[in-house]
């Protein structure tokens, strides 16, 4: 079986999505790249019964290479991210707070300094039908200089060097969206300015066991190592 380790990693992370509030039912999808091949979740298969054999291998054009099932309907989005960035893995989710804010905002503002771990305030890409090349293009445009994007009236996409990093960025994005939504329910939140964000970015460069502490730590159950799963790109 091709890409056995990558397919097993896809299964392991897919099984966490519902418990982590990132997906409902069979919604959402994730993938990881190995050279010119991509291991991606199949369409319509419940994650709790997903096996490595169910995960589909496609090439960077989205053509199936190996697998007994049809790949995710969002293959165009995943392959577009791989072609347009240095992503090693892509996670597409439908979390409640991120999706709700995607219907209200043009950009998730800097409510917390940890937004720098996604590259800065997260853009909302214009709406396009799911599974289309148009959605893929708009999503990649929204990712410019970022490792996360909200998709209007749809959900969110994050990427990283590997599945662990891409997935934890998805967790972080939903935490930031939940934080902003709760703050707005109480009033008008204070936002960080460009200088404050830059100071946080510099501080995170030395955060973790390899350097000085930037403060904070994990959010929403994610990794506390800024140079790891939530490391800035």
């Amino acid at each position: 079986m091709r890409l056995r380790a990558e397919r097993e990693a896809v299964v392991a992370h897919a099984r966490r999505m519902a418990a982590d509030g990132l997906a409902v039912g069979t919604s959402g999808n994730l993938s990881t790249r190995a050279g010119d091949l991509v291991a991606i979740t199949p369409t319509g298969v419940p994650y709790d019964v997903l096996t490595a054999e169910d995960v589909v291998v496609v090439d960077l054009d989205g053509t199936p290479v190996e697998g007994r099932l049809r790949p995710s309907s969002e293959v165009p989005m995943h392959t577009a991210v791989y072609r347009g960035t240095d992503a090693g893995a892509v996670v597409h989710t439908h979390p409640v707070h991120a999706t709700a804010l995607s219907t209200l905002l043009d950009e998730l503002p800097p409510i917390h300094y940890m937004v720098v771990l996604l590259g800065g305030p997260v853009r909302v890409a214009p709406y396009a039908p799911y599974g289309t090349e148009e959605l893929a293009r708009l999503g990649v445009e929204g990712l410019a200089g970022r490792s996360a994007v909200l998709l209007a009236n749809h959900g969110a996409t994050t990427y990283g060097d590997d599945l662990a990093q891409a997935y934890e960025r998805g967790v972080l994005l939903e935490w930031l969206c939940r934080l902003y939504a709760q703050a707005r329910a109480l009033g008008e939140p204070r936002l960080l300015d460009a200088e404050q964000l830059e100071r946080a970015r510099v501080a995170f460069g030395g955060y973790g066991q390899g350097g000085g502490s930037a403060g904070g730590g994990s959010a929403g159950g994610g990794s506390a190592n800024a140079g790891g799963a939530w490391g800035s790109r």
Side-chain angles (χ1 to χ4, degrees), residues 102 105-108 119-126 139-152 155 173:
S102 80
L105 303 175
D106 293 323
E107 181 179 83
L108 175 66
V122 179
R123 304 180 188 93
V124 179
V140 171
E141 289 176 358
L143 282 168
R146 305 286 188 270
S147 57
V149 64
L150 294 172
L151 307 171
L173 176 58

Side-chain angles (χ1 to χ4, degrees), residues 26-108:
T26 61
S27 69
N29 34 79
L30 45 83
S31 69
T32 187
R33 178 178 179 175
D36 293 332
L37 297 178
V38 174
I40 188 168
T41 46
T43 184
V45 177
Y47 295 134
D48 59 348
V49 299
L50 187 68
T51 67
E53 289 74 17
D54 295 329
V55 177
V56 185
V57 177
V58 301
D59 63 21
L60 292 178
D61 292 323
T63 303
V65 173
E66 183 175 287
R68 61 192 182 194
L69 301 174
R70 289 187 294 116
S72 167
S73 59
E74 295 292 7
V75 164
M77 179 191 302
H78 287 254
T79 55
V81 174
Y82 289 122
R83 292 193 303 267
T85 72
D86 61 351
V90 177
V91 174
H92 171 58
T93 59
H94 294 172
V96 171
H97 296 88
T99 304
L101 291 185
S102 80
T103 72
L104 299 169
L105 303 175
D106 293 323
E107 181 179 83
L108 175 66

